Amino acid sequence: MTTPPLHPVVLRLSPLLAILAGALTVLAFAPFRLWPVQIATLAFVFWLVLRQSSIKRGMLIGWAYGFGWTACGIYWLYISMHRYGGLPSWMAVVAVAALAMVLGAFAGLAMGSSAWFRQRGAAPAVSLLVIFPALWMLSEWLRGWVLTGFPWIVSGYAHTDSPLAGYAPVVGVYGIGWLAAMIAGSLVLLQSKKLMLVPVVLIIAAGIGLKTISWTTANGQPISVRLLQGNIAQEMKFANDQIVNTLALYHDMVHAAPANLIATPETALPLFAHQLPPDYLERLSAFARQSGSHIALGIPVSDSRRHYANSVIGIAPQPEKAYRYDKHHLVPFGEFIPAGARWFVNMMNIPLGDFSRGAVLQAPFQVKDQWVMPNICYEDLFGEEIADQLADAYFSGSPQATMLLNLSNIAWFGDSIALPQHLQISQMRALETRRPMLRATNSGTTAVIDSRGKVVAQLPPFTQGTLTATVQGYTGWTPYILIGNTLIVVPAFLILAFAWFSLRKKGSKTDCAIKTG
């Protein structure tokens, strides 16, 4: 199959068209959830890159697509930096644009590398079905860990409700992105090879079939759960005249009714544990003992003058079963200060901005028959780290978590698409691990997600309330828990190495034939 050149006008406008395609991709994610848009826009970018005349042009197209996608997808960072952080509006705009430019570079690297393979003789079908998708997946995987990672709305998240969701327990969110890229490549080839509909049908059919596999089984008796949503305005959360009201609010919400598990949002109590009124925690402990409740309390904990953690304290009916989880994966600028960036952080009003990291592997919290594994806010973006926590039980013989609990405060981002996007991210974690995910948030979205990734109950955002539910825990192992991203990253590198070697060998034979002739 030959690839006819682009019309001169389309060629000239390719970067702008790629930016627009990237911006449209946001419609594939929550709250819009139009997942076919993600595949369609990626197919369009593949089509553009296939017809570029140089590697630099391919890289530019990929970067433009990634820039438009991330700039529109994470615009809400402007709200946290300007409205709540006090950064001048122009500087907040520049900061969001700069981050989008950096994140766009990963897509640029993928498409530039794709153009490199294409220029060295890779056939269009091989490029679109093998090389482009593998490079696309690796670029998203790299975005998930380079410079601590920022994998927000990587392409797989668009498919929590699509047939590709069935693959989540096997290959995770990045693997779903790879499969979506293969479908996109097949669609580009459809214009000349109608048989390219076959791989599309096979991938979708297999995804539907995988949805029928249970992977995990119910464990013990269900537990009663109360998830608290205090809805404390972010501008008031750390104000001195509001703290007394906040302490009273969560005291009353916890004491309102017993439950096997009562969970507050992240840093629901905006003081260090040692700064609380002397009897505050004791009153919560007394309630736990009297009612048989277990309380997961979001609070910063100071171990020394210079070391403090973003923590979850577990208060159990039995005092000897007290629990603590410290956040491990911290948010750059918001929770730790990257080297050389203190001047930027100092321009904003961000309380508690330099936390210490918790251990990579931490034990779950026992609640009756269930074992609850907490993660805090941003941490549920990192599926492999949560899988590692669960897999540790498989290899060490320690108790395995039967449900996940996310405590968050994303009031930093106002009434924006960040809230439904984060809910969709939690859905993917439930799909990958086949365990329910509980979400207790300050302003939304507080929710219960079942072991198949479905939101079964939620509170309206920006309301004060309690979400009450009965939740069944699950035990067992999905392939993703045990193998993680290794199952896709290693094959992708091997595929690209084989493609490189084959093209090099082909090039050597061509050179030899020319010299002989």
Side-chain angles (χ1 to χ4, degrees), residues 19-27 29-30 32 64-77 96-97 100 152-153 416-418 421:
I19 289 176
L20 293 175
L24 283 174
T25 303
V26 176
L27 297 176
F29 301 89
F32 314 104
Y65 178 65
F67 172 78
W69 178 359
T70 50
C72 292
I74 61 170
Y75 75 88
W76 35 261
L77 287 172
V96 172
W152 198 279
I153 62 168
S416 70
I417 60 175
Q421 285 176 350

Side-chain angles (χ1 to χ4, degrees), residues 162-168 179 201-212 434:
S162 89
L164 299 186
Y167 290 96
L179 292 163
V201 172
L202 290 176
I203 290 171
I204 290 175
I208 294 171
L210 285 168
K211 282 187 174 184
T212 65
R434 278 296 196 260

Side-chain angles (χ1 to χ4, degrees), residues 273-353:
H274 68 271
Q275 294 175 324
L276 293 171
D279 63 340
Y280 192 89
L281 291 179
E282 176 52 40
R283 277 182 282 148
L284 294 181
S285 296
F287 174 76
R289 290 193 299 270
Q290 293 162 10
S291 65
S293 302
H294 297 72
I295 304 168
L297 186 66
I299 186 173
V301 177
S302 175
D303 295 309
S304 69
R305 186 174 179 181
R306 299 185 62 180
H307 294 90
Y308 52 92
N310 189 352
S311 302
V312 178
I313 291 178
I315 302 173
Q318 304 82 12
E320 67 276 9
K321 292 189 176 180
Y323 174 84
R324 175 175 162 185
Y325 171 86
D326 295 337
K327 188 174 184 181
H328 164 70
H329 206 122
L330 304 178
V331 181
F333 304 102
E335 293 180 321
F336 81 93
I337 302 174
R342 184 167 290 278
W343 65 271
F344 180 72
V345 175
N346 287 343
M347 294 182 68
M348 293 184 284
N349 178 28
I350 300 180
L352 303 174

